[in-house]
Amino acid sequence: MSYSHEPVLLKEIVEWLKPETAGCFVDCTLGLGGHTRAILEASAQTQVIGLDQDAEALEIARQRLAEFGDRVRFAHANFKEVAEVLRNFGIEAVQGLLADLGVSSLQFDSGERGFSFAADAPLDMRMDRREPRTAADLLAELSEAELADLIFEYGEERGARKIARRIVKERAREPIVTTRQLADLTIRALNIKGHWRIHPATRTFQALRIAVNNELTVLENFIPSSISLLASGGRLAIISFHSLEDRIVKRSFQRESGRCLCEDKLHRLATERQAIEKSKDAVLCKVCGASLRVRILTRKPIRPDDVEIMRNPRSRSASLRVCERL
């Protein structure tokens, strides 16, 4: 089976990471290799370490990037394991890291993976099939209150309680194990009739996918860890696809640039005044963990232009933020 593959914000990634300056870069979410190809093509002296937790995607990327030989190396790993991967390769610091947090086209277009309601398939949603717990497992195991909290928090779905109540009612009759079952019961729970611009089950599917893959916790831990791997002047670029991810990236970058995030205003102002006097890597606040390690390069997120959105509708919600190691 062939898969369409349109890397999001490709031109912008190359512009901000500056791979033409050569050195070693890390594509922490390799997918089918589109961003890595552009980075490798920018300079014959550039190398890339490509990580992906999806073994199938990793193998396809390996084949697609074979022409670059030993300039690209691969690791079957979650991006939270990037420090360990670089250690195993004997690399202490890199010039750039990229994390594209979207579901890859391989995962989204493979009906049997259960990421989309476009095809009826098992409710799986695991990006790494080595993990034991599927979306169907969550629907079977969680209480109504836990399901409602999950769908509201991770899906930002206002009808979370109605959907959770319907899930519990339906699973008492038969297990909810397919994408169509979940999509149909969501429509019934929300009592939505006629046509809709965004499918009523979109937020519920998002919430389950985030929970199955523990995405937000992984992201929160990844950012400070990845900054530690950057050489001075090296850059970290993160593409997020919904407000929950973008909020974590924004606040993490602020914290790592010396901005105190504590609620106490006087404490925050006193801490931020220290940033002017401190050297790089200084820990400024032991409460929120603010430290002076990066400079934020994108005060506002970079978004796809109209041309890219027309060409690749999946890019419409993408947001790119970039910081640079001091």
Side-chain angles (χ1 to χ4, degrees):
M1 180 179 180
S2 62
Y3 299 95
S4 60
H5 181 48
E6 187 80 26
V8 174
L9 292 167
L10 184 62
K11 174 174 64 71
E12 291 81 359
I13 286 296
V14 173
E15 288 176 354
W16 285 99
L17 285 185
K18 298 186 177 300
E20 71 276 5
T21 59
C24 184
F25 293 78
V26 185
D27 189 340
C28 298
T29 49
L30 181 63
L32 301 184
H35 287 116
T36 285
R37 172 176 289 277
I39 291 170
L40 290 166
E41 288 176 343
S43 169
Q45 282 70 52
T46 295
Q47 298 181 343
V48 175
I49 307 295
L51 284 66
D52 207 288
Q53 60 184 325
D54 189 320
E56 187 179 353
L58 195 67
E59 183 54 36
I60 294 173
R62 193 190 303 272
Q63 296 171 16
R64 289 186 168 188
L65 300 170
E67 65 191 87
F68 297 100
D70 60 6
R71 288 177 56 206
V72 56
R73 289 178 280 179
F74 304 89
H76 184 197
N78 186 293
F79 64 87
K80 68 182 179 182
E81 302 169 293
V82 60
E84 180 182 351
V85 169
L86 292 186
R87 249 192 331 267
N88 292 339
F89 282 124
I91 298 171
E92 294 183 359
V94 296
Q95 279 63 54
L97 293 103
L98 163 66
D100 177 347
L101 305 179
V103 179
S104 78
S105 54
L106 170 65
Q107 293 161 342
F108 199 82
D109 294 337
S110 298
E112 71 274 9
R113 301 296 294 273
F115 285 96
S116 171
F117 35 74
D120 194 21
L123 266 172
D124 190 322
M125 297 194 187
R126 292 172 299 169
M127 292 183 178
D128 186 344
R129 286 177 166 177
R130 296 173 298 183
E131 296 296 327
R133 210 178 191 196
T134 67
D137 293 330
L138 289 182
L139 293 183
E141 297 166 4
L142 298 183
S143 68
E144 181 177 327
E146 289 171 329
L147 285 167
D149 288 345
L150 185 154
I151 295 168
F152 180 76
E153 182 178 353
Y154 292 161
E156 300 179 295
E157 170 60 71
R158 287 179 292 179
R161 294 186 183 215
K162 294 179 181 178
I163 296 168
R165 192 177 308 123
R166 176 69 68 162
I167 288 172
V168 170
K169 180 179 178 181
E170 294 289 336
R171 77 184 184 190
R173 294 192 305 108
E174 62 175 338
I176 302 166
V177 295
T178 72
T179 56
R180 182 164 296 164
Q181 282 179 286
L182 179 58
D184 288 348
L185 74 82
T186 302
I187 294 171
R188 292 197 300 272
L190 297 176
N191 195 26
I192 296 177
K193 297 179 174 63
H195 298 285
W196 45 74
R197 188 174 64 86
I198 298 175
H199 194 287
T202 299
R203 294 184 180 90
T204 300
F205 271 67
Q206 172 186 297
L208 282 171
R209 191 203 76 228
I210 289 173
V212 167
N213 297 288
N214 199 25
E215 294 176 23
L216 301 185
T217 300
V218 168
L219 177 59
E220 287 177 337
N221 294 333
F222 163 76
I223 294 173
S225 172
S226 62
I227 288 172
S228 298
L229 300 171
L230 289 171
S232 180
R235 295 182 173 186
L236 170 62
I238 300 180
I239 302 174
S240 61
F241 285 84
H242 54 77
S243 60
L244 297 175
E245 292 174 338
D246 185 57
R247 194 175 304 131
I248 290 172
V249 177
K250 177 182 177 180
R251 289 177 65 83
S252 295
F253 280 13
Q254 289 174 337
R255 187 184 297 112
E256 296 286 348
S257 67
R259 179 173 175 180
C260 178
L261 301 180
C262 293
E263 293 184 2
D264 186 311
K265 185 175 181 180
L266 292 178
H267 171 78
R268 188 170 66 246
L269 291 173
T271 301
E272 290 174 356
R273 278 198 297 269
Q274 294 178 45
I276 302 172
E277 306 167 0
K278 296 285 186 178
S279 60
K280 69 176 185 177
D281 289 350
V283 176
L284 304 176
C285 180
K286 294 181 180 180
V287 179
C288 71
S291 60
L292 197 57
R293 300 204 297 162
V294 303
R295 177 169 64 100
I296 297 174
L297 301 181
T298 51
R299 292 296 167 183
K300 294 184 178 180
I302 307 300
R303 302 189 185 278
D305 58 26
D306 293 340
V307 174
E308 178 171 0
I309 293 172
M310 285 287 293
R311 187 178 67 246
N312 179 18
R314 290 182 186 173
S315 71
R316 66 182 179 273
S317 55
S319 296
L320 169 64
R321 293 184 186 269
V322 186
C323 67
E324 181 178 83
R325 188 75 159 96
L326 295 176

